[in-house]
Amino acid sequence: DAKTTQPTSMDCAEGRAANLPCNHSTISGNEYVYWYRQIHSQGPQYIIHGLKNNETNEMASLIITEDRKSSTLILPHATLRDTAVYYCIVRVEETSGSRLTFGEGTQLTVNP
Amino acid sequence: DGGITQSPKYLFRKEGQNVTLSCEQNLNHDAMYWYRQDPGQGLRLIYYSQIVNDFQKGDIAEGYSVSREKKESFPLTVTSAQKNPTAFYLCASSIQGAAYEQYFGPGTRLTVT
């Protein structure tokens, strides 16, 4: 699986958009980008994933650059409850179950 | 409500004792996983199971054992051979063929002294 690089921490004002970057310059053509988040002392929660097109769901938007070497997770109107560690994961969408490799992620702090 | 339960939330044991962590899911998922998380770090895979009566070692299986006798249950035993057992343990499950979308339980924080 391709390696990802994320900033260690970020801050965002409540109500503003939070833009979390992820670099994955060695991504392969069949690898997807996945985002999870983990609120303190809880289990991680799946947010969104994509291959090359931008994706949006009720939680967030995922913007993938045309060369697919980086992506940005956007929380359009951050709330205090969005304070969490956000993990960017790149892997093949395999048909058989296997591991997710979680790095250290980005600690997002939403401030009032 | 469908989901994954782990019990207990906090567990304390003396060094040298084996301890079993519970993980139950009612999502009808075939695949289940155990991860370990140390402070300030990401998750590391211990074991995973894609189907009943079958499981595979993850990246850090030494000192741990699992069983998968029922689809709903995937208990993890932390044995006395595990040198640094104090950690946050997370169980997850997924639909077969969709390992990218794993549903996690609330975790068990194990402290061994």
Side-chain angles (χ1 to χ4, degrees), chain B residues 22-72:
Chain B
S22 166
C23 177
E24 303 279 332
Q25 55 98 0
N26 61 3
L27 299 168
N28 200 32
H29 286 171
D30 288 302
M32 296 186 74
Y33 313 80
W34 273 106
Y35 293 87
R36 168 186 172 134
Q37 186 173 36
D38 292 289
Q41 298 187 24
L43 282 67
R44 292 184 290 169
L45 183 68
I46 304 172
Y47 269 98
Y48 66 101
S49 168
Q50 298 181 41
I51 198 168
V52 173
N53 292 323
D54 185 55
F55 48 83
Q56 288 79 40
K57 292 182 179 179
D59 299 317
I60 55 165
E62 186 175 349
Y64 300 97
S65 66
V66 293
S67 63
R68 187 84 189 277
E69 297 177 1
K70 298 186 300 181
K71 187 176 184 177
E72 303 79 20

Short mmCIF file of all heavy atoms in Angstrom, two decimals, chain B residues 22-72:
data_model
loop_
_atom_site.label_atom_id
_atom_site.label_comp_id
_atom_site.label_asym_id
_atom_site.label_seq_id
_atom_site.Cartn_x
_atom_site.Cartn_y
_atom_site.Cartn_z
N SER B 22 -13.52 -9.36 25.06
CA SER B 22 -14.71 -9.77 24.33
C SER B 22 -15.00 -8.82 23.16
O SER B 22 -14.80 -7.61 23.26
CB SER B 22 -15.90 -9.78 25.29
OG SER B 22 -17.12 -9.85 24.60
N CYS B 23 -15.48 -9.38 22.05
CA CYS B 23 -15.94 -8.59 20.91
C CYS B 23 -17.12 -9.32 20.29
O CYS B 23 -16.99 -10.48 19.87
CB CYS B 23 -14.84 -8.40 19.88
SG CYS B 23 -15.41 -7.49 18.42
N GLU B 24 -18.26 -8.63 20.24
CA GLU B 24 -19.48 -9.21 19.66
C GLU B 24 -20.06 -8.22 18.66
O GLU B 24 -20.06 -7.03 18.90
CB GLU B 24 -20.52 -9.47 20.76
CG GLU B 24 -20.05 -10.36 21.90
CD GLU B 24 -20.13 -11.82 21.56
OE1 GLU B 24 -20.99 -12.20 20.73
OE2 GLU B 24 -19.35 -12.61 22.13
N GLN B 25 -20.56 -8.75 17.51
CA GLN B 25 -21.21 -7.88 16.53
C GLN B 25 -22.52 -8.52 16.06
O GLN B 25 -22.61 -9.73 15.93
CB GLN B 25 -20.27 -7.59 15.35
CG GLN B 25 -19.71 -8.80 14.63
CD GLN B 25 -20.42 -9.22 13.37
OE1 GLN B 25 -21.41 -8.59 12.97
NE2 GLN B 25 -19.95 -10.28 12.73
N ASN B 26 -23.51 -7.67 15.82
CA ASN B 26 -24.80 -8.14 15.30
C ASN B 26 -25.09 -7.50 13.95
O ASN B 26 -26.24 -7.27 13.59
CB ASN B 26 -25.92 -7.87 16.31
CG ASN B 26 -26.08 -6.39 16.60
OD1 ASN B 26 -25.39 -5.55 16.03
ND2 ASN B 26 -26.98 -6.08 17.51
N LEU B 27 -24.02 -7.21 13.21
CA LEU B 27 -24.14 -6.60 11.88
C LEU B 27 -24.17 -7.64 10.77
O LEU B 27 -24.26 -7.29 9.59
CB LEU B 27 -22.95 -5.65 11.66
CG LEU B 27 -22.84 -4.49 12.65
CD1 LEU B 27 -21.49 -3.80 12.52
CD2 LEU B 27 -23.98 -3.51 12.42
N ASN B 28 -24.05 -8.90 11.14
CA ASN B 28 -24.01 -10.01 10.17
C ASN B 28 -22.78 -9.90 9.25
O ASN B 28 -22.82 -10.32 8.09
CB ASN B 28 -25.29 -10.07 9.33
CG ASN B 28 -25.48 -11.44 8.70
OD1 ASN B 28 -25.09 -12.47 9.27
ND2 ASN B 28 -26.06 -11.48 7.52
N HIS B 29 -21.71 -9.32 9.78
CA HIS B 29 -20.47 -9.20 9.01
C HIS B 29 -19.67 -10.49 9.08
O HIS B 29 -19.57 -11.13 10.13
CB HIS B 29 -19.62 -8.05 9.56
CG HIS B 29 -20.16 -6.71 9.20
ND1 HIS B 29 -19.65 -5.55 9.75
CD2 HIS B 29 -21.13 -6.32 8.35
CE1 HIS B 29 -20.30 -4.51 9.24
NE2 HIS B 29 -21.21 -4.96 8.39
N ASP B 30 -19.06 -10.85 7.96
CA ASP B 30 -18.22 -12.05 7.93
C ASP B 30 -16.84 -11.80 8.53
O ASP B 30 -16.27 -12.66 9.17
CB ASP B 30 -18.06 -12.55 6.49
CG ASP B 30 -19.34 -13.16 5.96
OD1 ASP B 30 -19.82 -14.11 6.58
OD2 ASP B 30 -19.83 -12.68 4.93
N ALA B 31 -16.28 -10.64 8.24
CA ALA B 31 -14.90 -10.36 8.63
C ALA B 31 -14.83 -9.60 9.95
O ALA B 31 -15.63 -8.70 10.20
CB ALA B 31 -14.20 -9.56 7.54
N MET B 32 -13.87 -9.99 10.77
CA MET B 32 -13.65 -9.30 12.04
C MET B 32 -12.15 -9.12 12.24
O MET B 32 -11.34 -9.88 11.74
CB MET B 32 -14.27 -10.06 13.21
CG MET B 32 -15.79 -10.16 13.11
SD MET B 32 -16.57 -10.89 14.55
CE MET B 32 -16.43 -9.55 15.75
N TYR B 33 -11.79 -8.08 13.05
CA TYR B 33 -10.39 -7.66 13.19
C TYR B 33 -10.11 -7.25 14.63
O TYR B 33 -11.00 -6.73 15.31
CB TYR B 33 -10.10 -6.44 12.30
CG TYR B 33 -10.61 -6.55 10.88
CD1 TYR B 33 -11.94 -6.31 10.59
CD2 TYR B 33 -9.75 -6.88 9.85
CE1 TYR B 33 -12.42 -6.40 9.28
CE2 TYR B 33 -10.21 -6.97 8.54
CZ TYR B 33 -11.55 -6.74 8.27
OH TYR B 33 -12.01 -6.83 6.98
N TRP B 34 -8.85 -7.42 15.05
CA TRP B 34 -8.38 -6.87 16.31
C TRP B 34 -7.17 -5.98 16.04
O TRP B 34 -6.23 -6.37 15.35
CB TRP B 34 -7.97 -7.97 17.28
CG TRP B 34 -9.10 -8.50 18.10
CD1 TRP B 34 -9.74 -9.69 17.97
CD2 TRP B 34 -9.70 -7.85 19.22
NE1 TRP B 34 -10.72 -9.82 18.93
CE2 TRP B 34 -10.72 -8.70 19.71
CE3 TRP B 34 -9.50 -6.63 19.86
CZ2 TRP B 34 -11.51 -8.38 20.81
CZ3 TRP B 34 -10.29 -6.31 20.95
CH2 TRP B 34 -11.29 -7.18 21.42
N TYR B 35 -7.23 -4.76 16.62
CA TYR B 35 -6.14 -3.81 16.52
C TYR B 35 -5.67 -3.43 17.92
O TYR B 35 -6.44 -3.46 18.88
CB TYR B 35 -6.58 -2.52 15.83
CG TYR B 35 -6.94 -2.65 14.37
CD1 TYR B 35 -8.22 -3.00 13.97
CD2 TYR B 35 -5.99 -2.38 13.39
CE1 TYR B 35 -8.56 -3.09 12.63
CE2 TYR B 35 -6.31 -2.46 12.04
CZ TYR B 35 -7.60 -2.81 11.67
OH TYR B 35 -7.92 -2.90 10.34
N ARG B 36 -4.44 -2.99 17.97
CA ARG B 36 -3.88 -2.45 19.21
C ARG B 36 -3.47 -1.01 18.93
O ARG B 36 -2.93 -0.70 17.86
CB ARG B 36 -2.67 -3.27 19.61
CG ARG B 36 -1.84 -2.65 20.72
CD ARG B 36 -0.58 -3.43 20.98
NE ARG B 36 0.27 -2.68 21.91
CZ ARG B 36 0.87 -3.21 22.97
NH1 ARG B 36 0.76 -4.50 23.22
NH2 ARG B 36 1.61 -2.46 23.77
N GLN B 37 -3.71 -0.13 19.90
CA GLN B 37 -3.29 1.27 19.78
C GLN B 37 -2.55 1.70 21.03
O GLN B 37 -3.07 1.57 22.14
CB GLN B 37 -4.49 2.18 19.52
CG GLN B 37 -4.09 3.62 19.23
CD GLN B 37 -5.27 4.47 18.83
OE1 GLN B 37 -6.37 4.29 19.34
NE2 GLN B 37 -5.06 5.39 17.90
N ASP B 38 -1.35 2.22 20.86
CA ASP B 38 -0.56 2.77 21.96
C ASP B 38 -0.68 4.29 21.93
O ASP B 38 -0.98 4.87 20.87
CB ASP B 38 0.88 2.32 21.84
CG ASP B 38 1.02 0.82 22.08
OD1 ASP B 38 0.85 0.40 23.23
OD2 ASP B 38 1.24 0.07 21.11
N PRO B 39 -0.45 4.95 23.05
CA PRO B 39 -0.67 6.40 23.13
C PRO B 39 0.02 7.19 22.03
O PRO B 39 1.22 7.01 21.78
CB PRO B 39 -0.09 6.75 24.51
CG PRO B 39 -0.25 5.49 25.31
CD PRO B 39 -0.02 4.37 24.34
N GLY B 40 -0.74 8.04 21.35
CA GLY B 40 -0.20 8.92 20.32
C GLY B 40 0.16 8.22 19.03
O GLY B 40 0.80 8.84 18.16
N GLN B 41 -0.21 6.98 18.89
CA GLN B 41 0.15 6.23 17.69
C GLN B 41 -1.08 5.75 16.95
O GLN B 41 -2.19 5.78 17.47
CB GLN B 41 1.04 5.05 18.07
CG GLN B 41 2.36 5.47 18.72
CD GLN B 41 3.29 4.30 18.93
OE1 GLN B 41 3.20 3.29 18.25
NE2 GLN B 41 4.19 4.44 19.88
N GLY B 42 -0.86 5.28 15.73
CA GLY B 42 -1.94 4.71 14.95
C GLY B 42 -2.27 3.30 15.40
O GLY B 42 -1.74 2.81 16.40
N LEU B 43 -3.15 2.64 14.65
CA LEU B 43 -3.57 1.29 15.00
C LEU B 43 -2.68 0.26 14.32
O LEU B 43 -2.24 0.45 13.19
CB LEU B 43 -5.02 1.06 14.53
CG LEU B 43 -6.14 1.65 15.35
CD1 LEU B 43 -6.15 3.17 15.30
CD2 LEU B 43 -7.48 1.10 14.87
N ARG B 44 -2.44 -0.83 15.02
CA ARG B 44 -1.68 -1.94 14.44
C ARG B 44 -2.52 -3.21 14.51
O ARG B 44 -3.13 -3.51 15.54
CB ARG B 44 -0.36 -2.13 15.20
CG ARG B 44 0.63 -0.99 15.01
CD ARG B 44 1.95 -1.27 15.70
NE ARG B 44 1.83 -1.20 17.16
CZ ARG B 44 2.77 -1.61 18.00
NH1 ARG B 44 3.90 -2.13 17.52
NH2 ARG B 44 2.60 -1.51 19.30
N LEU B 45 -2.54 -3.96 13.42
CA LEU B 45 -3.40 -5.13 13.30
C LEU B 45 -2.78 -6.32 14.03
O LEU B 45 -1.63 -6.67 13.80
CB LEU B 45 -3.60 -5.47 11.82
CG LEU B 45 -4.53 -6.63 11.52
CD1 LEU B 45 -5.97 -6.26 11.88
CD2 LEU B 45 -4.43 -7.01 10.05
N ILE B 46 -3.59 -6.97 14.88
CA ILE B 46 -3.12 -8.14 15.63
C ILE B 46 -3.53 -9.43 14.92
O ILE B 46 -2.70 -10.26 14.57
CB ILE B 46 -3.71 -8.14 17.06
CG1 ILE B 46 -3.38 -6.83 17.79
CG2 ILE B 46 -3.17 -9.33 17.85
CD1 ILE B 46 -4.10 -6.69 19.13
N TYR B 47 -4.82 -9.61 14.71
CA TYR B 47 -5.38 -10.77 14.01
C TYR B 47 -6.59 -10.32 13.22
O TYR B 47 -7.23 -9.33 13.55
CB TYR B 47 -5.83 -11.84 15.03
CG TYR B 47 -4.81 -12.88 15.39
CD1 TYR B 47 -4.07 -12.75 16.57
CD2 TYR B 47 -4.61 -13.99 14.60
CE1 TYR B 47 -3.14 -13.72 16.93
CE2 TYR B 47 -3.68 -14.97 14.96
CZ TYR B 47 -2.94 -14.82 16.12
OH TYR B 47 -2.03 -15.77 16.48
N TYR B 48 -6.93 -11.09 12.19
CA TYR B 48 -8.20 -10.88 11.52
C TYR B 48 -8.77 -12.21 11.06
O TYR B 48 -8.05 -13.19 10.90
CB TYR B 48 -8.08 -9.88 10.36
CG TYR B 48 -7.23 -10.31 9.20
CD1 TYR B 48 -7.81 -10.81 8.04
CD2 TYR B 48 -5.85 -10.17 9.24
CE1 TYR B 48 -7.03 -11.18 6.96
CE2 TYR B 48 -5.06 -10.54 8.16
CZ TYR B 48 -5.65 -11.02 7.02
OH TYR B 48 -4.88 -11.39 5.95
N SER B 49 -10.09 -12.20 10.88
CA SER B 49 -10.80 -13.42 10.49
C SER B 49 -11.79 -13.05 9.40
O SER B 49 -12.58 -12.13 9.55
CB SER B 49 -11.55 -13.99 11.70
OG SER B 49 -12.46 -14.98 11.31
N GLN B 50 -11.75 -13.80 8.32
CA GLN B 50 -12.65 -13.51 7.20
C GLN B 50 -13.89 -14.39 7.24
O GLN B 50 -14.89 -14.10 6.57
CB GLN B 50 -11.92 -13.72 5.88
CG GLN B 50 -10.74 -12.78 5.71
CD GLN B 50 -10.05 -12.99 4.37
OE1 GLN B 50 -10.70 -13.18 3.36
NE2 GLN B 50 -8.73 -12.96 4.36
N ILE B 51 -13.82 -15.48 8.03
CA ILE B 51 -14.93 -16.41 8.07
C ILE B 51 -14.81 -17.24 9.34
O ILE B 51 -13.73 -17.35 9.93
CB ILE B 51 -14.91 -17.30 6.81
CG1 ILE B 51 -16.26 -17.97 6.58
CG2 ILE B 51 -13.77 -18.30 6.86
CD1 ILE B 51 -16.39 -18.61 5.23
N VAL B 52 -15.92 -17.82 9.75
CA VAL B 52 -15.93 -18.64 10.96
C VAL B 52 -14.91 -19.76 10.85
O VAL B 52 -14.69 -20.34 9.78
CB VAL B 52 -17.35 -19.22 11.19
CG1 VAL B 52 -17.35 -20.20 12.36
CG2 VAL B 52 -18.33 -18.10 11.47
N ASN B 53 -14.24 -20.02 11.98
CA ASN B 53 -13.24 -21.09 12.10
C ASN B 53 -11.99 -20.85 11.26
O ASN B 53 -11.23 -21.80 10.99
CB ASN B 53 -13.84 -22.46 11.74
CG ASN B 53 -14.86 -22.92 12.76
OD1 ASN B 53 -14.71 -22.68 13.95
ND2 ASN B 53 -15.92 -23.54 12.29
N ASP B 54 -11.76 -19.61 10.89
CA ASP B 54 -10.54 -19.26 10.15
C ASP B 54 -10.06 -17.89 10.58
O ASP B 54 -10.88 -16.97 10.74
CB ASP B 54 -10.81 -19.26 8.65
CG ASP B 54 -9.52 -19.02 7.87
OD1 ASP B 54 -8.55 -19.77 8.07
OD2 ASP B 54 -9.48 -18.07 7.06
N PHE B 55 -8.75 -17.73 10.78
CA PHE B 55 -8.19 -16.43 11.12
C PHE B 55 -6.73 -16.37 10.69
O PHE B 55 -6.10 -17.42 10.49
CB PHE B 55 -8.34 -16.12 12.62
CG PHE B 55 -7.92 -17.24 13.54
CD1 PHE B 55 -6.59 -17.41 13.87
CD2 PHE B 55 -8.86 -18.11 14.08
CE1 PHE B 55 -6.20 -18.44 14.73
CE2 PHE B 55 -8.49 -19.12 14.93
CZ PHE B 55 -7.14 -19.30 15.26
N GLN B 56 -6.24 -15.15 10.51
CA GLN B 56 -4.86 -14.94 10.07
C GLN B 56 -4.16 -13.97 11.00
O GLN B 56 -4.78 -13.07 11.57
CB GLN B 56 -4.82 -14.35 8.65
CG GLN B 56 -5.21 -15.32 7.55
CD GLN B 56 -6.71 -15.48 7.45
OE1 GLN B 56 -7.44 -14.50 7.57
NE2 GLN B 56 -7.16 -16.69 7.23
N LYS B 57 -2.85 -14.13 11.12
CA LYS B 57 -2.05 -13.22 11.93
C LYS B 57 -1.92 -11.88 11.22
O LYS B 57 -1.80 -11.81 10.00
CB LYS B 57 -0.65 -13.80 12.17
CG LYS B 57 -0.64 -15.03 13.05
CD LYS B 57 0.79 -15.51 13.27
CE LYS B 57 0.79 -16.74 14.19
NZ LYS B 57 2.16 -17.24 14.41
N GLY B 58 -1.93 -10.83 12.02
CA GLY B 58 -1.65 -9.50 11.51
C GLY B 58 -0.18 -9.16 11.69
O GLY B 58 0.68 -10.04 11.67
N ASP B 59 0.10 -7.90 11.94
CA ASP B 59 1.49 -7.44 12.04
C ASP B 59 2.13 -7.71 13.39
O ASP B 59 3.35 -7.77 13.50
CB ASP B 59 1.54 -5.94 11.75
CG ASP B 59 1.03 -5.62 10.35
OD1 ASP B 59 1.39 -6.36 9.42
OD2 ASP B 59 0.28 -4.64 10.20
N ILE B 60 1.32 -7.85 14.43
CA ILE B 60 1.88 -7.98 15.79
C ILE B 60 1.17 -9.08 16.57
O ILE B 60 0.74 -8.89 17.69
CB ILE B 60 1.80 -6.64 16.56
CG1 ILE B 60 0.35 -6.10 16.58
CG2 ILE B 60 2.71 -5.59 15.94
CD1 ILE B 60 0.14 -5.01 17.61
N ALA B 61 1.10 -10.29 16.00
CA ALA B 61 0.32 -11.38 16.61
C ALA B 61 1.02 -12.04 17.80
O ALA B 61 0.35 -12.73 18.60
CB ALA B 61 0.00 -12.42 15.55
N GLU B 62 2.31 -11.86 17.96
CA GLU B 62 3.03 -12.58 19.02
C GLU B 62 2.50 -12.21 20.39
O GLU B 62 2.38 -11.03 20.74
CB GLU B 62 4.52 -12.27 18.94
CG GLU B 62 5.35 -13.08 19.92
CD GLU B 62 6.84 -12.85 19.75
OE1 GLU B 62 7.24 -12.23 18.75
OE2 GLU B 62 7.60 -13.29 20.64
N GLY B 63 2.18 -13.24 21.18
CA GLY B 63 1.67 -13.02 22.53
C GLY B 63 0.17 -12.91 22.60
O GLY B 63 -0.38 -12.66 23.67
N TYR B 64 -0.50 -13.06 21.47
CA TYR B 64 -1.96 -12.99 21.41
C TYR B 64 -2.52 -14.27 20.79
O TYR B 64 -1.84 -14.95 20.02
CB TYR B 64 -2.41 -11.81 20.54
CG TYR B 64 -1.97 -10.46 21.03
CD1 TYR B 64 -0.84 -9.84 20.49
CD2 TYR B 64 -2.70 -9.78 22.01
CE1 TYR B 64 -0.44 -8.59 20.93
CE2 TYR B 64 -2.30 -8.53 22.44
CZ TYR B 64 -1.17 -7.94 21.90
OH TYR B 64 -0.77 -6.70 22.33
N SER B 65 -3.77 -14.59 21.10
CA SER B 65 -4.47 -15.68 20.43
C SER B 65 -5.93 -15.30 20.26
O SER B 65 -6.45 -14.45 20.99
CB SER B 65 -4.34 -16.99 21.22
OG SER B 65 -5.02 -16.89 22.46
N VAL B 66 -6.56 -15.90 19.25
CA VAL B 66 -7.97 -15.61 18.96
C VAL B 66 -8.69 -16.91 18.64
O VAL B 66 -8.08 -17.95 18.41
CB VAL B 66 -8.14 -14.64 17.77
CG1 VAL B 66 -7.61 -13.25 18.11
CG2 VAL B 66 -7.47 -15.20 16.52
N SER B 67 -10.02 -16.81 18.61
CA SER B 67 -10.85 -17.91 18.13
C SER B 67 -12.03 -17.30 17.40
O SER B 67 -12.39 -16.14 17.63
CB SER B 67 -11.34 -18.78 19.29
OG SER B 67 -12.15 -18.03 20.17
N ARG B 68 -12.60 -18.07 16.49
CA ARG B 68 -13.77 -17.58 15.75
C ARG B 68 -14.73 -18.77 15.57
O ARG B 68 -14.89 -19.32 14.50
CB ARG B 68 -13.36 -17.02 14.40
CG ARG B 68 -14.49 -16.34 13.65
CD ARG B 68 -14.71 -14.93 14.04
NE ARG B 68 -15.91 -14.34 13.49
CZ ARG B 68 -16.01 -13.82 12.26
NH1 ARG B 68 -14.98 -13.88 11.43
NH2 ARG B 68 -17.13 -13.27 11.86
N GLU B 69 -15.38 -19.12 16.66
CA GLU B 69 -16.30 -20.27 16.66
C GLU B 69 -17.69 -19.86 16.19
O GLU B 69 -18.48 -20.70 15.74
CB GLU B 69 -16.35 -20.88 18.04
CG GLU B 69 -15.01 -21.46 18.48
CD GLU B 69 -15.04 -22.00 19.90
OE1 GLU B 69 -16.11 -21.95 20.54
OE2 GLU B 69 -13.99 -22.48 20.37
N LYS B 70 -18.02 -18.59 16.33
CA LYS B 70 -19.31 -18.08 15.89
C LYS B 70 -19.09 -16.84 15.04
O LYS B 70 -18.13 -16.08 15.27
CB LYS B 70 -20.19 -17.72 17.09
CG LYS B 70 -20.54 -18.86 18.00
CD LYS B 70 -21.54 -18.43 19.06
CE LYS B 70 -21.00 -17.31 19.92
NZ LYS B 70 -21.95 -16.90 20.98
N LYS B 71 -19.98 -16.58 14.12
CA LYS B 71 -19.86 -15.42 13.25
C LYS B 71 -19.89 -14.12 14.06
O LYS B 71 -19.22 -13.15 13.71
CB LYS B 71 -21.01 -15.43 12.24
CG LYS B 71 -20.94 -14.37 11.17
CD LYS B 71 -22.08 -14.55 10.18
CE LYS B 71 -21.97 -13.57 9.03
NZ LYS B 71 -23.06 -13.79 8.03
N GLU B 72 -20.65 -14.12 15.15
CA GLU B 72 -20.87 -12.89 15.90
C GLU B 72 -19.74 -12.55 16.86
O GLU B 72 -19.67 -11.45 17.37
CB GLU B 72 -22.16 -12.99 16.72
CG GLU B 72 -23.40 -13.30 15.92
CD GLU B 72 -23.54 -14.75 15.54
OE1 GLU B 72 -22.89 -15.60 16.20
OE2 GLU B 72 -24.26 -15.06 14.59
#
